[in-house]
Each structure stands twice: as structure tokens, then as C-alpha cells.
Amino acid sequence: MCIHGRLPCGSTPCRVALGSHLKLTYATSTMLALATGSIAVVCLPSSVLCSHLNLPGFGPIALLGSESGQLTWQSQGLPSDTLSAQNALAILHTVQTPLVIDPSYQAVEWLKANLKASGQTIDVLPQHDAHFNNSLELAVRFGKVLVVSEVDRVHPILYPLLRSDVEKLGGRLVVPVGDKLVDHNPSFKLYLVTRNASPALTPDVTALLTVTNFSITPSGLESQLLSVALQHEQPELESRKAQLLHKEAGLTLQLAALEKQLLQALATSSGNLLEDTALLNSLNDTKAQASSVATALDDGRALAAQLDEQRSVYRPLAARGSLLYFTVVQLRQLDPMYCFSLASFLKLYKQSFIWGAQTAGPPTTTNSSSAPHEADILARNALLS
């Protein structure tokens, strides 16, 4: 089955739908990456528009990534909200140089962990480093991955690299770096990072970059706090959710393999198809296996919906925590002394579960009726005390 889950792969409607998916995905991943969460949610294609375009269930994450891949990113330190996942896809799939706006530096830690997991050699240095030019030249020459931090404005020495001004000179590929022509290694990659939520970017530089904005938003922080709460209070739910997603990914790959096997059998057959007994038996076996896999996928989706319903019990707690953080952040307008980082707040938030458990007394077996009560106790005792 295709992306719609209904049309046969390779059909004309499927190809048209896939093209529409790709166009909308390109628009959302490139044009909305710079926007904050609230603006991006408003600008994303609505369900009405997607229904009119015959694109049910549209989403860049569903087309370019997978939920099992998101679990891997989260284990590497990526925040668990949807905006962070969309930004991660933009960073990993762009052909331009990414500029990561990340005041909390959570996404930067994920980026470094992700690059190391892929076996790449990484150099991290600030743009104002005294040896920046020399380090940049060596990275270009030897094909390293260079992560440049504290990029409040793009240094002019980077412009030829951003434009990919690579030329041939005597059989070699060279690129200008400062006043030198340096051998260009195709393995060289450049990532720009800044804590500044509003870096000074001229229009000509912005056109050369893929800008992703990881500035924390209320909804994004709520998703992160919900994940932390579940890991502490109901770790078995998160474990079952992870196992379910990995199983679903495996079943999806198995279903795709069966479809490929079916098309291969039809393409290599000769003569009258109705008289080819071996082919008909193979088609029946493939159909039966595909049906069982599809049934298992449906059962998995039903179980996922049940797990999400159980997880939503702790969403009010996460919402209160998000509200508390943004309330505390506003205190700096009264006095600069009140300056709180997201990292310190998350540390306090995790510690609050220990305080809440001590205040609430010995833990009891949590069921569907008592979970909301326990979440409310935790919110009042830990966050509002």
C-alpha cells in the first residue's frame, strides 16, 4: 500500500498524491523552520486543506522520518516535542548549511551525538576563536564535520563555503578560504549554531542557510515535561510505547518487502497468468501474509491509542510545569537578578518528583481511576509549593 494506505503503489493517484506530499513537505520544512512553534502550527496545512487536496494524514515527519527514528533521536538528547522533530528532519535532509538557533543548547547536544553515532569526525569551536581560520582550512581539506558555535553573525570567510564556490584547478577541487585556495574534500560538512534567538542575518546570507529555530515554546516544553513525568511515574508506559513503535516499524518494512516481492513476481512472469499455478500460489501466500501484517498493524495502532490515553493523564501536570517556567522567566523583566535557564528548571522539575513522592507518602498501585488524583497531588505538592 502507498502513503494513503488505500491506493496501490505505482498507480497514478498514488504518484500524484506523493508529489503533493513532497511539495507540502518541502514548504513546511524550509519556509517554517525559522518560525517558532505557535507560528508554525498556525501556518501548517490544515486538515481541511489536506482533505481538499486528497492528502489525509499529511505530515513532514510521517513522510521523511519514522517514530522509531524519533525515539533514537530522543535517546541522543533531542527534545520530544513535534517542532524539534521537524527541525531535526530539516537539518538532516537539507543540502544547504544549517543554522541552528538553540538558546537552551539541547538540540546542539543532540546534533553532536547524532553525528558521532554516524561515525563522523567532529570539530566544535566558537566563531570568535583565535585559530578559527586555520581550523576551518584543515576541516575543509581533510573532510571533517565542523560545528561552529556562537554565530551571532556569519563571518565573511564562510560565504564561499555557503555558496559552494568549488572549482577545478589542475584536476583538484578547490574552494576559497580567506585569501587561500584550499583543496575541498567532499566529506566536509558545516553546521552553524547560535544561542541568540535573533541573529543578525542579511537577506543574502539567509538565502544560503537552512535556519531552524529550537526556541522553547509552551507546547514544546509541555511535551518535554510530559515525557519526563512518564519516565519517572510510569516508565512501563514509555517502555511499552517504545517496543510498540519498534514492532510497528518492523511490520511496515515487512509489508513493503511483501509488496516488492509481489510486484517482482508479476514482472518476471511469462505466459498466461491464470495458468501459472506457482505464481498464483505465491500471490495467495503473499496476500495472506500481507493481510496478517496489516491486521497486526491495526492492532498496534489500537494499542498505541490506549497507551496515549493513559499517558494523557499526566498532561495537566506538564501543562502546569510549562506555565510555571514561562511565568518565572518573565520575572527578569522586574529585575535582571531573576534569571533562570531551562536546564536548571528541568533539574528542579525532576527533583520535584522526589519531593512530591515524599509528601504524598508511600507509592500505591496506579490504575486508571487513581492516576489523575496522583498527578494532581504531584502538581500541587511539587510544583506549586
Side-chain angles (χ1 to χ4, degrees):
M1 303 300 286
C2 67
I3 54 177
H4 283 75
R6 300 188 301 271
L7 301 174
C9 288
S11 63
T12 300
C14 175
R15 292 195 297 268
V16 173
L18 179 59
S20 300
H21 268 263
L22 291 174
K23 291 176 183 177
L24 283 178
T25 299
Y26 170 79
T28 54
S29 61
T30 57
M31 305 304 293
L32 297 182
L34 181 56
T36 57
S38 57
I39 298 176
V41 169
V42 172
C43 295
L44 276 173
S46 64
S47 58
V48 176
L49 174 60
C50 292
S51 176
H52 178 71
L53 295 176
N54 194 24
L55 299 175
F58 164 77
I61 299 177
L63 184 62
L64 297 180
S66 64
E67 293 193 2
S68 60
Q70 292 180 57
L71 288 177
T72 302
W73 295 343
Q74 292 173 21
S75 67
Q76 295 170 344
L78 184 72
S80 56
D81 57 288
T82 304
L83 177 63
S84 297
Q86 292 177 351
N87 286 339
L89 286 172
I91 292 173
L92 296 178
H93 289 83
T94 183
V95 296
Q96 294 180 311
T97 299
L99 172 61
V100 181
I101 300 176
D102 185 20
S104 65
Y105 246 57
Q106 290 179 292
V108 176
E109 295 301 323
W110 159 78
L111 177 61
K112 292 190 289 187
N114 184 272
L115 293 174
K116 289 180 181 178
S118 61
Q120 303 183 59
T121 304
I122 308 172
D123 283 346
V124 182
L125 75 160
Q127 186 174 244
H128 54 74
D129 188 275
H131 304 287
F132 175 74
N133 291 5
N134 186 45
S135 299
L136 177 62
E137 179 182 338
L138 293 176
V140 173
R141 187 184 302 274
F142 294 105
K144 297 182 180 180
V145 177
L146 184 62
V147 179
V148 183
S149 60
E150 310 302 338
V151 183
D152 292 333
R153 62 178 67 247
V154 179
H155 196 287
I157 197 176
L158 297 174
Y159 289 179
L161 296 173
L162 301 182
R163 293 192 299 261
S164 298
D165 291 345
V166 181
E167 56 185 76
K168 282 190 176 182
L169 182 63
R172 298 180 301 139
L173 294 177
V174 296
V175 63
V177 178
D179 56 354
K180 300 180 181 178
L181 286 177
V182 179
D183 290 339
H184 181 268
N185 191 313
S187 299
F188 169 73
K189 291 183 180 179
L190 179 65
Y191 296 88
L192 307 181
V193 176
T194 179
R195 298 175 187 264
N196 188 353
S198 301
L201 300 177
T202 57
D204 58 324
V205 174
T206 304
L208 302 174
L209 299 170
T210 296
V211 185
T212 56
N213 194 340
F214 283 89
S215 297
I216 194 67
T217 61
S219 60
L221 181 57
E222 180 180 326
S223 298
Q224 294 184 45
L225 298 183
L226 175 61
S227 179
V228 172
L230 289 168
Q231 290 173 8
H232 187 277
E233 295 295 300
Q234 297 289 328
E236 66 279 1
L237 287 181
E238 290 295 272
S239 176
R240 291 176 62 189
K241 180 75 171 179
Q243 294 174 3
L244 182 62
L245 290 176
H246 285 301
K247 181 180 178 180
E248 184 176 344
L251 290 173
T252 303
L253 292 176
Q254 183 179 350
L255 185 60
L258 290 174
E259 293 172 354
K260 183 177 180 180
Q261 177 183 344
L262 175 61
L263 294 176
Q264 182 68 21
L266 292 174
T268 56
S269 64
S270 58
N272 191 345
L273 296 179
L274 299 179
E275 297 178 356
D276 193 338
T277 306
L279 175 62
L280 292 177
N281 292 335
S282 176
L283 293 179
N284 289 331
D285 292 341
T286 302
K287 181 180 178 181
Q289 295 179 32
S291 177
S292 63
V293 170
T295 302
L297 284 173
D298 291 338
D299 295 341
R301 294 189 184 99
L303 179 58
Q306 296 177 7
L307 292 178
D308 289 338
E309 184 178 355
Q310 297 178 32
R311 294 168 81 247
S312 65
V313 169
Y314 291 90
R315 187 166 293 279
L317 170 64
R320 294 188 190 185
S322 177
L323 177 62
L324 179 61
Y325 170 76
F326 283 96
T327 301
V328 171
V329 167
Q330 296 300 318
L331 292 177
R332 72 179 64 178
Q333 298 180 4
L334 301 177
D335 194 306
M337 179 187 69
Y338 299 107
C339 187
F340 299 90
S341 67
L342 179 59
S344 62
F345 178 82
L346 289 176
K347 184 178 179 180
L348 268 176
Y349 179 76
K350 295 175 183 178
Q351 182 66 32
S352 70
F353 288 98
I354 301 176
W355 297 336
Q358 293 173 350
T359 306
T364 58
T365 302
T366 302
N367 52 43
S368 59
S369 60
S370 63
H373 176 63
E374 292 190 4
D376 186 65
I377 290 177
L378 186 59
R380 288 188 286 106
N381 292 339
L383 294 180
L384 304 180
S385 59

